Amino acid sequence: MHIFSKKVDLNKYLKDNNLDKSSIGFVPTMGALHAGHLSLLEKSTQNNVTTVISIFVNPTQFNNAEDLEKYPRTLENDVEKIKTISNKILVYAPTVDDIYEGKTKSEHYNFDGLENQMEGKFRPGHFDGVGTVVKRLFEIVKPTNAYFGKKDFQQLQIVKKLVEKEKIPVNIIGCPIFRESNGLAMSSRNERLSAEEKGKAAIIFKTLNNAKTLFGTKSAKSVSDFVSKTFQNHPIFELEYFEIADEATLLHCSRKNKNKKYRAFIAVFVNKIRLIDTISLN
Ligand code: AMP
């Protein structure tokens, strides 16, 4: 396995092996890999000559110091998991300095309003951090195709907008959400949940499914009321937001329009650990 902590070494390896001219698939992650991440890697290895995964806990996208500090960092374990897909995958696990070169600050972006909803509203500065790191990673890796999970659907839309606005020559591919057997969306943050909390957190996806059924006949407002009530009945959870929004603009659905695609988005705290999930409503 080739593991690089410096961009110059990654670039030299790609150049020396003529891989910079091949199709490069890229999977940006923050590590603590699970089957969801591995599914992105699998897709990339199937469709590209070279696959690069980055493992980097990006400080500028965290608005909460404790969340950043407690974010799991498990590089050795991650490398073992990557090997199960292919030992030809190149791992780029940079230091903060290799990415930020002494200035750990975000650029400021205008993503045409996509950044003002949901995650953007509740995590100020989050998408400036995401935009900054994704742009730098794209400049370093120069991928042909980049793979992102629909679990972070707002992030996926924002990355598509970033690429369009900054004219970055890369295809952005959205991939399905991987779940635990009880429906809980896989997440690196799940590692911080107890077995009991993990079991109880099944209610998040169950509620999204109920919301989807209700949305067939009810307004977005009554679906939101139903979701709020559900979480009020389960005091180990604190609902941060539930939102039904237009998939393209991410704007709140106040009146259903048959020609639009809608999606429900949710963020819930379980004992200070923040979990998000989403479901298509069409
Ligand atoms: P993260 O390490 O959480 O930043 O995630 C890295 C990439 O993996 C992002 O594109 C995520 O959307 C994607 N991802 C995370 N969890 C899942 C999941 N359960 N299923 C599919 N993709 C995921």
Side-chain angles (χ1 to χ4, degrees), residues 27-40 54 56 61 71 147-153 155-156 173 175-180 184-190:
V27 179
T29 80
M30 298 203 298
L33 301 183
H34 51 64
H37 295 117
L38 298 185
S39 74
L40 306 187
S54 62
F56 179 61
Q61 73 187 66
Y71 201 89
Y147 299 82
F148 290 83
K150 290 187 183 170
K151 155 125 188 310
D152 301 279
F153 192 85
Q155 170 175 277
L156 170 65
I173 295 147
C175 303
I177 303 175
F178 269 58
R179 300 181 177 280
E180 305 287 352
L184 174 64
M186 288 185 179
S187 163
S188 305
R189 288 187 177 85
N190 293 355

Side-chain angles (χ1 to χ4, degrees), residues 36-147:
H37 295 117
L38 298 185
S39 74
L40 306 187
L41 276 180
E42 205 156 289
K43 199 168 238 177
S44 176
T45 53
Q46 282 162 3
N47 295 308
N48 299 278
V49 174
T50 307
T51 288
V52 177
I53 179 172
S54 62
I55 296 181
F56 179 61
V57 182
N58 173 35
T60 64
Q61 73 187 66
F62 284 80
N63 59 319
N64 175 323
E66 186 183 348
D67 191 24
L68 172 61
E69 186 208 324
K70 296 220 166 127
Y71 201 89
R73 290 157 171 91
T74 57
L75 184 59
E76 266 180 42
N77 231 320
D78 290 346
V79 170
E80 290 309 309
K81 289 182 184 165
I82 295 166
K83 274 188 201 161
T84 66
I85 306 291
S86 160
N87 58 10
K88 292 200 184 103
I89 293 172
L90 307 178
V91 181
Y92 176 48
T95 56
V96 171
D97 234 35
D98 201 54
I99 296 289
Y100 285 100
E101 299 178 340
K103 192 171 163 253
T104 314
K105 277 203 117 183
S106 296
E107 311 281 329
H108 183 62
Y109 289 100
N110 172 352
F111 294 120
D112 294 346
L114 294 175
E115 73 278 27
N116 298 329
Q117 316 303 323
M118 300 170 296
E119 292 300 283
K121 206 184 282 174
F122 287 92
R123 302 183 70 188
H126 173 65
F127 287 121
D128 279 340
V130 168
T132 303
V133 78
V134 169
K135 183 165 178 239
R136 293 209 180 163
L137 289 168
F138 282 171
E139 283 163 0
I140 294 165
V141 177
K142 298 181 191 68
T144 321
N145 300 301
Y147 299 82

